[in-house]
Amino acid sequence: MRRQLAQVETTGTSREFESQVLAVDHTMGDAILLTVSAPTTVVQRLNSGQFFNVSCRFPGSFDPLLRRPYSVYRAHQQPSSLTFLVRPFGRGSAWLAGRTPGERLEILGPLGNSFVIPPRAQRLLMLAGGVGVAPLVMLSDVAVARGLDVVFVMGAADAAGLLPASELRGPVEYVVATDDGSRGHHGLATEIVGDYVHWADQIYACGPEPMYRTLRTVADTHRINKKPGVQISVERGMACGFGACLGCVVETRRGMIASCVDGPVFDFDEVVF
Amino acid sequence: MRRQLAQVETTGTSREFESQVLAVDHTMGDAILLTVSAPTTVVQRLNSGQFFNVSCRFPGSFDPLLRRPYSVYRAHQQPSSLTFLVRPFGRGSAWLAGRTPGERLEILGPLGNSFVIPPRAQRLLMLAGGVGVAPLVMLSDVAVARGLDVVFVMGAADAAGLLPASELRGPVEYVVATDDGSRGHHGLATEIVGDYVHWADQIYACGPEPMYRTLRTVADTHRINKKPGVQISVERGMACGFGACLGCVVETRRGMIASCVDGPVFDFDEVVF
Amino acid sequence: MTAVTSHGTADLAVDLAPHNPRELLLRNPFMAASGCFGYGEEYAGVIDIQRLGAFVSKGITPERRAGNAMPRIVETPAGMLNAIGLQNPGIHGFVKKYPTLWDSWAVPAIVNISAEAVDDYAMMAAMLDEQPGIAAIEINVSCPNISRGGYCFGWDAEMSAEVTRAVRGVTTLPIIVKLSPGASDIVSVAIAVEAAGADAISLINTLVGMAIDVRRRRPLLANETGGVSGPAIKPIAVRMVYQVASAVRIPVVGMGGIMSLNDALEFFLAGASAVQIGTGIFVDPGLPIRLIDELSQWLDEEGFSSFNQIVGLANVGFRSGDPHLFRFREASGL
Amino acid sequence: MTAVTSHGTADLAVDLAPHNPRELLLRNPFMAASGCFGYGEEYAGVIDIQRLGAFVSKGITPERRAGNAMPRIVETPAGMLNAIGLQNPGIHGFVKKYPTLWDSWAVPAIVNISAEAVDDYAMMAAMLDEQPGIAAIEINVSCPNISRGGYCFGWDAEMSAEVTRAVRGVTTLPIIVKLSPGASDIVSVAIAVEAAGADAISLINTLVGMAIDVRRRRPLLANETGGVSGPAIKPIAVRMVYQVASAVRIPVVGMGGIMSLNDALEFFLAGASAVQIGTGIFVDPGLPIRLIDELSQWLDEEGFSSFNQIVGLANVGFRSGDPHLFRFREASGL
Ligand SMILES: Cc1cc2nc3c(=O)[nH]c(=O)nc-3n(C[C@H](O)[C@H](O)[C@H](O)COP(=O)(O)OP(=O)(O)OC[C@H]3O[C@@H](n4cnc5c(N)ncnc54)[C@H](O)[C@@H]3O)c2cc1C
Ligand SMILES: Cc1cc2nc3c(=O)[nH]c(=O)nc-3n(C[C@H](O)[C@H](O)[C@H](O)COP(=O)(O)OP(=O)(O)OC[C@H]3O[C@@H](n4cnc5c(N)ncnc54)[C@H](O)[C@@H]3O)c2cc1C
Ligand SMILES: Cc1cc2nc3c(=O)[nH]c(=O)nc-3n(C[C@H](O)[C@H](O)[C@H](O)COP(=O)(O)O)c2cc1C
Ligand SMILES: Cc1cc2nc3c(=O)[nH]c(=O)nc-3n(C[C@H](O)[C@H](O)[C@H](O)COP(=O)(O)O)c2cc1C
Ligand code: FES
Ligand code: FES
């Protein structure tokens, strides 16, 4: 498993492959787990936080035109494959969520940088908002395999939108919040995350933009000497995936940075919201 | 069965319906027989030669944009359904040929006029070129049910491209020709049709434009006093299907005529090629 | 005529000629576009055409035209190319049949006119002025001006204004001038036709395009070029509507690729007081009627009591009459 | 540099500056388009960029630019809108890094320049003239001319010619002028820049478009408007290439929505001596390289010994230098 944490190489290893749908499983709400075949070279050098650009149309159609980025939810060695968590939302994801085993998909990746577990970090806090849970599941797997302690906080609109606890592997403390109070804390996940900030060596978050804005307040309130560090995965509309079009930039203290190569994972303190 | 020959009403009865794929069967070459559900009102007033405009894309995609016209190959009362013969050719038909039972389709129709069997006609000659066989199969069914004599001549590139004889119902004389000689006459169907011209009271043809041009020579050679009459089904790219856009016109002695309402069936002698 | 909304409570009515005593009152802002709806009768048995806000006829010309050779249409990515060649009975053939037919209909019928000389536009407008059953004239300026070597009327502000003035001079019917997207500076054309007496502006007509048949090594259309319509041109259409709506004070009718309520709302929020649907009817004949109900429901849900409240909501300069600010921003920053 | 074709026997080489002693010899007619390929290095680890006919850099401006606020891209039907805002290091930052890097590459590198004043274009061209590793300059005239109230250079024949003349005056590098599809009369612009010293013409740049966020009731792009690219604009691009290629005698480089060999062939048969691929690279990074092999195979199958033989095959007036016949046909008959 250690291999999954090797230093990320981005464009040099990225490539396109034709993949086959292996399984479609229903999970949280209307989202599905889509498992697709992938070359072993791709699966072996993958890091948590990376993503793939998936064509969401049938051959011969050019609408929708652009590929959609999906974070890796889990990677498997036998058979060599990847699982994505896809929530049918607009037309691309709805098409993708409608695929059935045996169908072919065009996939490009892995793309982007990845979450980093600092050498001395032992206690990892993860904060997931909705479908943003995907890359944190892979990260949690890696952390557990390394023997690290994980607290996994997830928020969703209602109980159906929460990741089932059975999907998290190993000894992970799973804490949930729902907007309607149908399970766990009645309210936002950011309201309970403060309880763990002092405990954690490192925080990881993936969710919608409003969640990050609230997290900023939480972080400012709870962090005294800028520790623990926070790594977030940012979602931007993308075109190329290789830093060429500059359509996916994130405003940071260092300027406008392409989130497809120097993201999607950013140091929270660097990002200007 | 007589009801299928009622006088055609075009736009007044045409309508859009959502249909479900009931069966996909493999037939001649790579073409498939696609059976889809249809309202009983649609099936009951249908005439041979009429067609339906089928959406060939998934919801949310606008490419390919235009519906594709497909002639009815067979209509069924139990369950109320239609069968189309679809040859995967470009992107629309390839998409349609890839559907599986249970999927939904958007269908508009019935559209167009239909083949007419003159009151005193007893001997019908049908000439099919490739996938143009579709409407003639329905016409042949009708003729056989009426107790008329049918000679069915079909041409294709090779034996695999021929309609299997088992697909023709009742006492029909089935004569075939293949370009490569792999079955029947070695050459074009138009080369053998001359043998039956004097026998026939009425000729029906459906096939590609070059077939019609050859048929013109055959007709000119064999017909002495402009009998038997020839009805042909003409294929034109279409947009509206209701005579509104004038994109599908056929040049006739009477001027430019919309083939979606005053066709696709034309009197052969009227058409200017 | 009073406004009738079949579902919902919001008022959908809109007047497209508020400065014209003959007014052009639509029950709802959904119209069928010229060339895509024949003369109305083609769809009479298919949908309830009387529920439409209005419909626009196929383009009528001074003389009857047989149209272009085939093929006349080719599909393009998310769109289509057409080169029908204005097949129509000519103004004399037209007036024999349609004004009387339309006079018995509830839906306002608008005649689209095309010509290659200013006098011909005026001649047709004068004839239409006397006819029953005609609610307005839509002037198609996307035609070559014979006296100017075939340069398109619609590309030039002054030439477009000249046609408008000539038509205004012979009829009191509401006049909609339909702009050509081939104009580099669409805003100047809009301002010029407003000044020349247009009651409303509609846009966009098709963009000139072409497709090549690689196998036969020649253009796919018999006419070589054709007009591109459909979803492919929607972003261009929305942009032009946004620009024009902030530069003129008369109503703007938007069109180009409308396939859903969301598409129509893009045009309304950009500043269109009504929309026309063309290619969308080919693909989905029930669309315009369905959109009436969907808009009504949307307005209720969003808390608007009248359709007019949403016109231009996304357009910061809506009817400001200052075209220059926007024109500058548009050209920069791409 | 000699022509190398990796598969097949047909000669794919093409010279885009036949009248310039410095020539612009491409091994094959497939180029990567400006703004869609960064500075080449972004794709260096993804595809074998050295096999490309050439690539064009992101647009460089006189000063460094941070670009527009986000969002900068929106998908549209069969296309996309972009408003990147020319984020680039400026000509001074540019020359520090790329000329030396590119000098070690086999693939010809072309610099795309954008400015809002004629002098700025000339200033950048003069700086580039002295640099190693630069095969040609592509002038992007789809920019607002500050001294003309922001009216786009590329919409006007004389303004486009002025920029071309200024650049021609300061460099012997091959010059490609990239036309704006916003020009009503694209043929006049092409003729004017040819006369002003352009070695080649490329077209089309993006069409100005817009999309509205209905929920938030404002334009989707932070910049409000953006440029439409991708398959949606292909028919417009093919038409303009066809027209321009019959009106000028210098090579024409076509682009707009190329996603397959068939698309590229449409442009070649219409009269393009080379094509650029932009949005197609986003969707399918391997596309331009694959097309080299596919073209080679197609030429063999169709019995052509050289790529040049197919250029303009579907264009009856190819390089006839008579633009007027065509312009008239285009405007009529729609
Ligand atoms: C790094 C990354 C990882 C992601 N991981 C996941 C995941 O694991 N699971 C998941 O379900 N989703 C994930 N997404 C989101 C996913 O890529 C799609 O955006 C989402 O599925 C909606 O796509 P759609 O086609 O259904 O929606 P659409 O209807 O295409 O778009 C819905 C809205 O999204 C925006 N949008 C979409 N694409 C673009 C674009 N190219 N440019 C600008 N705006 C755009 C637009 O505002 C649009 O209105 C991820 C996104 C990124 C950037
Ligand atoms: C009345 C009628 C009945 C038909 N019945 C059958 C049938 O029973 N079985 C069957 O397989 N096919 C039938 N067709 C043909 C069918 O409609 C499609 O054209 C065919 O399946 C190819 O579509 P595609 O999307 O695969 O090809 P595309 O890739 O879309 O088109 C292939 C070529 O067809 C032409 N074309 C297609 N659509 C248009 C259009 N709207 N306007 C102009 N040109 C166009 C173009 O030249 C294009 O290059 C019928 C056509 C008509 C008019
Ligand atoms: C087949 C066809 C014929 C058309 N004929 C005319 C016409 O005669 N006069 C006119 O002003 N516009 C004509 N148009 C343009 C449409 O009215 C409309 O402006 C254009 O198609 C854009 O709208 P859409 O994308 O909804 O189709 C025609 C369009 C099509 C597709
Ligand atoms: C994201 C993006 C950025 C672009 N930037 C530039 C640019 O800086 N300079 C320029 O001349 N064209 C630019 N273009 C236009 C392209 O070079 C090309 O002309 C256009 O996209 C049409 O080709 P396509 O459909 O293959 O993309 C850009 C296009 C895109 C999509
Ligand atoms: S998606 Fe093109 S730079 Fe990131
Ligand atoms: S398809 Fe429109 S008139 Fe026939």
Side-chain angles (χ1 to χ4, degrees):
Chain A
M1 277 305 243
R2 281 280 161 108
R3 203 143 21 134
Q4 294 199 346
L5 287 162
Q7 184 54 44
V8 59
E9 293 170 58
T10 51
T11 57
T13 60
S14 299
R15 58 204 196 89
E16 207 175 339
F17 56 91
E18 205 183 87
S19 165
Q20 200 174 13
V21 177
L22 300 180
V24 177
D25 299 295
H26 291 270
T27 176
M28 29 181 284
D30 55 356
I32 57 138
L33 290 174
L34 181 76
T35 301
V36 303
S37 66
T40 51
T41 49
V42 165
V43 171
Q44 283 168 358
R45 62 194 333 158
L46 198 63
N47 296 285
S48 67
Q50 288 193 291
F51 65 93
F52 288 80
N53 272 354
V54 184
S55 248
C56 292
R57 50 187 167 81
F58 60 88
S61 173
F62 292 118
D63 191 50
L65 182 65
L66 299 173
R67 289 166 183 261
R68 303 294 192 254
Y70 290 95
S71 300
V72 179
Y73 175 88
R74 238 170 208 133
H76 319 273
Q77 313 277 353
Q78 285 297 337
S80 182
S81 54
L82 304 169
T83 299
F84 301 111
L85 175 67
V86 180
R87 184 174 62 109
F89 174 65
R91 53 208 199 124
S93 53
W95 182 85
L96 197 59
R99 295 312 87 204
T100 50
E103 290 191 65
R104 309 224 147 246
L105 291 176
E106 281 173 30
I107 299 184
L108 187 66
L111 301 171
N113 67 1
S114 50
F115 291 119
V116 174
I117 304 182
R120 271 179 296 272
Q122 178 61 37
R123 295 186 291 205
L124 311 185
L125 171 59
M126 300 180 192
L127 172 64
V131 80
V133 73
L136 299 176
V137 169
M138 179 163 169
L139 177 65
S140 167
D141 283 0
V142 170
V144 166
R146 280 208 197 176
L148 307 178
D149 299 332
V150 175
V151 170
F152 203 109
V153 180
M154 180 175 190
D158 52 29
L162 290 169
L163 187 77
S166 57
E167 280 292 320
L168 288 175
R169 299 204 181 134
V172 171
E173 185 178 341
Y174 186 39
V175 189
V176 300
T178 51
D179 299 351
D180 68 353
S182 52
R183 186 155 321 149
H185 173 73
H186 188 165
L188 301 173
T190 40
E191 290 161 9
I192 49 174
V193 81
D195 303 349
Y196 300 91
V197 165
H198 291 285
W199 166 86
D201 299 326
Q202 183 68 29
I203 302 178
Y204 303 92
C206 186
E209 200 107 349
M211 183 181 101
Y212 293 139
R213 271 190 277 268
T214 321
L215 188 62
R216 169 111 311 156
T217 323
V218 176
D220 291 349
T221 316
H222 290 272
R223 288 191 291 160
I224 290 92
N225 32 0
K226 289 274 173 195
K227 296 213 166 207
V230 184
Q231 292 171 35
I232 61 167
S233 177
V234 174
E235 188 178 327
R236 286 286 182 272
M238 290 188 184
C240 71
F242 292 106
C245 73
L246 302 177
C248 68
V249 295
V250 168
E251 192 176 348
T252 72
R253 302 242 165 103
R254 291 170 294 146
M256 295 294 217
I257 304 291
S259 68
C260 60
V261 290
D262 297 319
V265 178
F266 286 85
D267 176 342
F268 192 42
D269 294 325
E270 286 253 303
V271 178
V272 181
F273 281 104
Chain B
M1 277 303 242
R2 282 282 161 106
R3 201 145 21 133
Q4 294 199 346
L5 286 162
Q7 184 56 42
V8 60
E9 292 171 58
T10 49
T11 56
T13 61
S14 300
R15 56 202 197 92
E16 206 176 339
F17 55 91
E18 205 183 86
S19 165
Q20 199 174 13
V21 177
L22 300 179
V24 177
D25 298 296
H26 290 271
T27 176
M28 31 181 283
D30 54 356
I32 58 140
L33 289 174
L34 181 76
T35 302
V36 304
S37 66
T40 51
T41 48
V42 165
V43 171
Q44 284 168 356
R45 63 194 333 160
L46 199 63
N47 296 286
S48 67
Q50 287 194 293
F51 65 94
F52 287 81
N53 273 353
V54 185
S55 249
C56 292
R57 51 186 166 81
F58 60 88
S61 173
F62 292 119
D63 192 49
L65 181 66
L66 299 172
R67 288 166 184 260
R68 302 294 191 255
Y70 290 95
S71 298
V72 179
Y73 174 90
R74 241 174 202 128
H76 320 272
Q77 313 276 354
Q78 285 298 337
S80 182
S81 54
L82 305 169
T83 299
F84 301 112
L85 175 68
V86 180
R87 184 172 63 107
F89 174 64
R91 54 209 199 124
S93 53
W95 182 86
L96 197 58
R99 296 310 88 205
T100 50
E103 291 190 64
R104 307 225 147 243
L105 291 176
E106 280 173 32
I107 300 184
L108 187 66
L111 301 172
N113 67 2
S114 49
F115 291 118
V116 174
I117 303 182
R120 270 177 298 274
Q122 176 62 35
R123 296 187 292 206
L124 312 185
L125 171 59
M126 299 180 191
L127 172 65
V131 80
V133 72
L136 298 177
V137 168
M138 178 162 171
L139 178 64
S140 166
D141 282 1
V142 171
V144 167
R146 282 209 198 175
L148 308 178
D149 300 331
V150 176
V151 172
F152 203 107
V153 180
M154 177 174 193
D158 52 29
L162 290 168
L163 186 79
S166 57
E167 280 292 320
L168 289 174
R169 299 201 181 137
V172 171
E173 184 177 341
Y174 185 39
V175 189
V176 300
T178 53
D179 298 351
D180 69 353
S182 53
R183 186 157 318 150
H185 172 71
H186 187 165
L188 301 173
T190 39
E191 290 160 10
I192 48 174
V193 82
D195 303 350
Y196 301 91
V197 166
H198 291 285
W199 167 86
D201 299 325
Q202 182 70 27
I203 302 178
Y204 303 91
C206 186
E209 199 105 353
M211 184 181 99
Y212 293 139
R213 269 189 280 268
T214 321
L215 188 62
R216 169 109 313 157
T217 323
V218 176
D220 291 349
T221 317
H222 290 273
R223 287 191 290 160
I224 291 91
N225 31 0
K226 291 275 174 194
K227 296 219 164 190
V230 183
Q231 292 171 36
I232 61 168
S233 177
V234 175
E235 187 178 326
R236 286 284 183 274
M238 290 187 183
C240 71
F242 291 106
C245 73
L246 301 178
C248 68
V249 296
V250 167
E251 193 178 347
T252 72
R253 302 243 164 100
R254 291 170 294 146
M256 295 293 215
I257 304 290
S259 68
C260 61
V261 289
D262 297 318
V265 178
F266 286 86
D267 177 341
F268 193 42
D269 295 323
E270 285 252 304
V271 178
V272 181
F273 282 104
Chain C
M1 194 161 69
T2 56
V4 181
T5 60
S6 49
H7 298 77
T9 55
D11 181 6
L12 300 187
V14 58
D15 183 359
L16 294 182
H19 308 300
N20 187 319
R22 283 176 80 165
E23 61 188 21
L24 179 54
L25 200 59
L26 272 50
R27 284 180 197 173
N28 63 67
F30 294 102
M31 309 164 70
S34 177
C36 304
F37 208 65
Y39 302 92
E41 56 177 0
E42 290 83 350
Y43 279 95
V46 186
I47 58 171
D48 184 358
I49 62 168
Q50 308 299 341
R51 284 195 62 203
L52 288 172
F55 74 89
V56 186
S57 78
K58 173 74 196 156
I60 304 297
T61 53
E63 304 297 331
R64 106 171 248 296
R65 289 172 61 118
N68 291 329
M70 288 288 284
R72 293 177 173 187
I73 53 176
V74 185
E75 197 179 48
T76 60
M80 61 178 281
L81 268 170
N82 87 79
I84 307 302
L86 288 168
Q87 178 175 344
N88 84 95
I91 187 78
H92 299 278
F94 169 83
V95 295
K96 280 199 200 98
K97 176 164 181 192
Y98 295 104
T100 335
L101 173 66
W102 293 347
D103 203 29
S104 65
W105 291 2
V107 57
I110 298 171
V111 184
N112 179 283
I113 58 172
S114 295
E116 301 184 346
V118 175
D119 291 350
D120 282 338
Y121 279 105
M123 177 272 282
M124 288 193 283
M127 281 184 68
L128 293 171
D129 188 62
E130 302 155 4
Q131 299 292 329
I134 293 173
I137 294 175
E138 183 178 66
I139 306 177
N140 173 12
V141 291
S142 301
C143 303
N145 184 347
I146 293 281
S147 75
R148 286 280 296 273
Y151 197 91
C152 177
F153 283 104
W155 296 352
D156 185 89
E158 185 36 45
M159 274 160 57
S160 301
E162 205 188 331
V163 174
T164 310
R165 266 193 305 272
V167 171
R168 178 77 298 159
V170 297
T171 182
T172 56
L173 278 168
I175 299 174
I176 305 172
V177 181
K178 182 169 179 182
L179 305 188
S180 163
S184 296
D185 190 356
I186 194 91
V187 165
S188 309
V189 182
I191 292 171
V193 302
E194 176 181 39
D199 291 297
I201 286 171
S202 62
L203 73 167
I204 60 175
N205 212 314
T206 53
L207 286 122
V208 183
M210 186 182 222
I212 305 278
D213 185 333
V214 167
R215 210 171 39 76
R216 290 166 56 233
R217 296 171 197 171
R218 51 154 284 124
L220 263 162
L221 291 173
N223 186 58
E224 301 197 352
T225 57
V228 189
S229 65
I233 68 168
K234 191 187 65 173
I236 300 160
V238 171
R239 184 264 297 182
M240 289 187 164
V241 165
Y242 190 99
Q243 285 180 295
V244 167
S246 61
V248 300
R249 287 161 207 278
I250 54 178
V252 171
V253 180
M255 79 195 87
I258 295 174
M259 299 292 301
S260 67
L261 180 66
N262 196 77
D263 292 340
L265 288 170
E266 284 197 69
F267 283 90
F268 296 143
L269 299 183
S273 297
V275 292
Q276 292 183 15
I277 302 172
T279 307
I281 295 182
F282 300 160
V283 172
D284 181 0
L287 181 66
I289 302 296
R290 210 170 55 239
L291 291 186
I292 302 169
D293 298 331
E294 288 183 12
L295 174 65
S296 179
Q297 197 187 330
W298 186 86
L299 291 170
D300 281 0
E301 282 167 11
E302 300 283 319
F304 295 102
S305 60
S306 149
F307 161 70
N308 286 300
Q309 293 169 333
I310 70 165
V311 175
L313 263 193
N315 190 333
V316 285
F318 183 54
R319 289 190 188 167
S320 71
D322 177 5
H324 298 291
L325 237 163
F326 184 81
R327 188 195 301 161
F328 185 79
R329 190 169 46 223
E330 166 220 334
S332 67
L334 295 187
Chain D
M1 194 160 74
T2 56
V4 182
T5 60
S6 50
H7 298 76
T9 56
D11 181 5
L12 298 187
V14 60
D15 183 0
L16 293 183
H19 308 302
N20 186 319
R22 284 176 79 165
E23 60 187 22
L24 179 55
L25 200 60
L26 272 50
R27 286 179 195 174
N28 63 67
F30 294 102
M31 308 165 69
S34 178
C36 304
F37 208 65
Y39 303 93
E41 56 177 359
E42 290 83 350
Y43 279 96
V46 186
I47 58 170
D48 184 358
I49 61 167
Q50 307 300 339
R51 285 194 63 203
L52 287 172
F55 74 89
V56 187
S57 78
K58 173 74 197 158
I60 305 296
T61 53
E63 305 297 331
R64 107 172 248 297
R65 287 172 62 118
N68 291 329
M70 288 289 286
R72 293 178 173 185
I73 52 175
V74 186
E75 199 178 47
T76 61
M80 60 178 281
L81 268 169
N82 87 80
I84 307 301
L86 288 167
Q87 178 175 344
N88 83 97
I91 188 76
H92 300 278
F94 169 82
V95 295
K96 280 199 199 100
K97 176 165 181 193
Y98 295 105
T100 335
L101 173 67
W102 292 348
D103 202 30
S104 65
W105 290 3
V107 57
I110 298 171
V111 184
N112 179 283
I113 58 172
S114 295
E116 300 184 347
V118 174
D119 292 348
D120 282 339
Y121 280 105
M123 178 272 284
M124 288 194 281
M127 281 184 68
L128 293 171
D129 188 62
E130 301 156 3
Q131 299 292 329
I134 292 173
I137 294 174
E138 184 177 66
I139 306 177
N140 174 12
V141 292
S142 302
C143 303
N145 184 347
I146 293 281
S147 76
R148 288 280 294 274
Y151 197 90
C152 177
F153 283 104
W155 295 351
D156 185 90
E158 185 36 44
M159 275 161 56
S160 301
E162 205 189 331
V163 174
T164 310
R165 265 194 304 273
V167 171
R168 177 78 296 161
V170 296
T171 182
T172 57
L173 277 169
I175 299 173
I176 305 170
V177 181
K178 182 170 179 181
L179 305 188
S180 164
S184 296
D185 189 356
I186 194 91
V187 164
S188 309
V189 182
I191 292 171
V193 302
E194 176 182 39
D199 291 298
I201 285 170
S202 62
L203 71 169
I204 61 174
N205 212 316
T206 52
L207 287 123
V208 183
M210 187 181 223
I212 305 277
D213 185 333
V214 167
R215 211 173 36 80
R216 291 167 54 234
R217 296 170 197 170
R218 48 153 286 124
L220 264 162
L221 292 173
N223 186 59
E224 301 197 353
T225 58
V228 188
S229 64
I233 67 168
K234 192 186 64 172
I236 300 159
V238 170
R239 183 264 298 183
M240 289 188 164
V241 165
Y242 190 99
Q243 285 179 295
V244 167
S246 61
V248 300
R249 287 160 207 277
I250 53 178
V252 170
V253 179
M255 79 194 89
I258 295 175
M259 298 293 300
S260 67
L261 180 67
N262 196 78
D263 293 340
L265 288 169
E266 283 197 70
F267 283 90
F268 296 144
L269 300 182
S273 297
V275 292
Q276 293 183 14
I277 301 171
T279 306
I281 296 181
F282 301 159
V283 172
D284 180 0
L287 180 66
I289 302 296
R290 209 170 55 239
L291 291 186
I292 303 170
D293 298 332
E294 287 183 13
L295 174 65
S296 180
Q297 197 188 331
W298 187 86
L299 290 171
D300 282 0
E301 282 166 11
E302 300 283 318
F304 294 103
S305 60
S306 150
F307 162 68
N308 287 298
Q309 293 168 336
I310 69 165
V311 175
L313 263 192
N315 190 331
V316 285
F318 183 53
R319 289 191 188 166
S320 71
D322 178 4
H324 299 291
L325 238 163
F326 184 82
R327 188 194 301 160
F328 186 78
R329 190 168 48 223
E330 167 220 333
S332 67
L334 295 186

